Amino acid sequence: MLIDLHAHSNVSDGTDRPDELVHRAAEAGLDVLALTDHDTVDGWPAARGAGSAENVLVVPGVEMSTRLRGAGVHVLAYLLDPAYPPLADELARVRESRANRLSEMTRLLTEAGMPLETADVLAVAGTASSIGRPHVADALVAKGYVADRTEAFSRLLADGGPAYVPRYAPATADAVRIVREAGGVTVLAHPWGRGSRRVLDSTTIAALAAAGLAGIEVDHEDHDAAARSALRQIASAHRLVVTGSSDYHGTGKVGHALGVNTTDPAEFERLLDLARTAAAAAGRDVPQLGVA
Ligand code: AMP
Ligand code: ZN
Ligand code: FE
Ligand code: FE
């Protein structure tokens, strides 16, 4: 039983269509795949349709951009009602802010001697409903200014870099609460990866657990063996579910092949139990697993 609970499609900054993503998951031997695009659920119908055809259990999810003491923190949310107004409003607000910062980013890049227009970014983003810095990176690659996304980030787009423009994100604790109200469960994505490690100390994780956080993504390529071992202890201390996943982005992110990390089936069952409890408490129409 192979379970991968974090993957992106081209509905955000991955490179595979949702149905292609599920097809590749089947080829990789996965039994369960969560679709977790950044701040959008628009890929759910296509992914779930493909899941039925490919015999892959597709878990509907979303990777929410949140903010904690000035740092970006990614929160994976699963099995929530995306129509719950406070949740839909927050996601829409983040997507709008993502789109609105493009003119400022392209202005900064143009000033830095790399002429770029918003239209160039939208062209490479294609049908994506959530536009991210990786799309700006792709536009820079298309213009021949940089070799790949990695160089675009290291030279220009990384937090604090010359073309970095911040955008709106809800507070992490608010996201955890809203997802619960929407009948879903939350897992901290790559907590000790780039950016979020400095704010996600064990005390802060404990406070989030008390606020309703269900789990933490321990097995992720951003974490070395020491980080995984320390995070496992924190999870155990606060009865948090431990997940493992690829954070697959297609060709958009190297070293993140589908199934490179996976989630223990017993931990997945715990997460599903918590989701059932949250759904019952919320009394909302949450998505059912295995129903396309
Ligand atoms: P955004 O949410 O649009 O501001 O951009 C965040 C996305 O960019 C995430 O999906 C990250 O995987 C990616 N990202 C952030 N920093 C870097 C970096 N230094 N190198 C490559 N990708 C990055
Ligand atoms: Zn991404
Ligand atoms: Fe992330
Ligand atoms: Fe991700």
Side-chain angles (χ1 to χ4, degrees):
M1 178 90 162
L2 287 178
I3 303 165
D4 186 340
L5 294 180
H6 184 167
H8 298 266
S9 78
N10 68 358
V11 170
S12 66
D13 57 6
T15 56
D16 296 342
R17 289 192 319 264
D19 62 303
E20 287 171 342
L21 168 65
V22 172
H23 178 72
R24 282 182 210 271
E27 281 183 342
L30 294 178
D31 302 286
V32 180
L33 176 77
L35 175 67
T36 55
D37 276 310
H38 297 281
D39 307 301
T40 175
V41 302
D42 288 353
W44 286 11
R48 304 179 101 199
S52 311
E54 305 271 358
N55 208 19
V56 172
L57 187 63
V58 172
V59 180
V62 57
E63 183 173 15
M64 296 178 73
S65 305
T66 75
R67 201 159 306 285
L68 182 60
R69 295 198 294 276
V73 169
H74 286 180
V75 172
L76 294 161
Y78 303 105
L79 293 160
L80 48 114
D81 177 3
Y84 177 55
L87 178 84
D89 289 352
E90 286 294 349
L91 294 180
R93 193 169 164 197
V94 174
R95 289 195 305 270
E96 197 176 287
S97 170
R98 288 175 163 286
N100 287 343
R101 71 175 164 171
L102 291 180
S103 58
E104 178 65 4
M105 292 184 87
T106 54
R107 190 184 65 75
L108 290 168
L109 288 162
T110 302
E111 274 180 16
M114 286 162 279
L116 196 70
E117 292 177 24
T118 299
D120 299 321
V121 180
L122 296 178
V124 297
T127 56
S129 16
S130 182
I131 314 281
R133 279 180 283 169
H135 295 117
V136 180
D138 291 347
L140 291 167
V141 173
K143 291 275 186 192
Y145 300 145
V146 295
D148 51 29
R149 282 184 178 183
T150 304
E151 188 189 345
F153 270 91
S154 62
R155 279 184 48 204
L156 303 160
L157 304 176
D159 290 24
Y164 174 68
V165 176
R167 55 154 170 71
Y168 170 78
T172 306
D174 287 342
V176 166
R177 174 180 52 79
I178 290 170
V179 170
R180 257 171 85 92
E181 290 167 5
V185 285
T186 48
V187 171
L188 278 182
H190 45 71
W192 286 1
R194 181 184 46 229
S196 56
R197 183 171 191 149
R198 74 174 172 84
V199 294
L200 290 174
D201 53 276
S202 60
T203 310
T204 303
I205 294 177
L208 290 170
L213 179 74
I216 53 181
E217 191 180 55
V218 170
D219 291 306
H220 184 285
E221 289 304 282
D222 286 359
H223 298 152
D224 60 17
R228 293 180 192 209
S229 148
L231 283 167
R232 236 177 263 286
Q233 285 188 23
I234 293 174
S236 159
H238 305 291
R239 300 181 153 279
L240 290 162
V241 172
V242 168
T243 71
S245 42
S246 63
D247 203 358
Y248 174 80
H249 280 68
T251 58
K253 200 166 184 171
V254 293
H256 291 256
L258 282 166
V260 65
N261 297 292
T262 55
T263 297
D264 184 298
E267 293 296 297
F268 180 54
E269 276 308 321
R270 284 184 64 206
L271 192 65
L272 292 181
D273 274 343
L274 290 168
R276 281 188 276 267
T277 305
R284 297 203 62 85
D285 186 18
V286 299
Q288 299 299 301
L289 264 191
V291 181

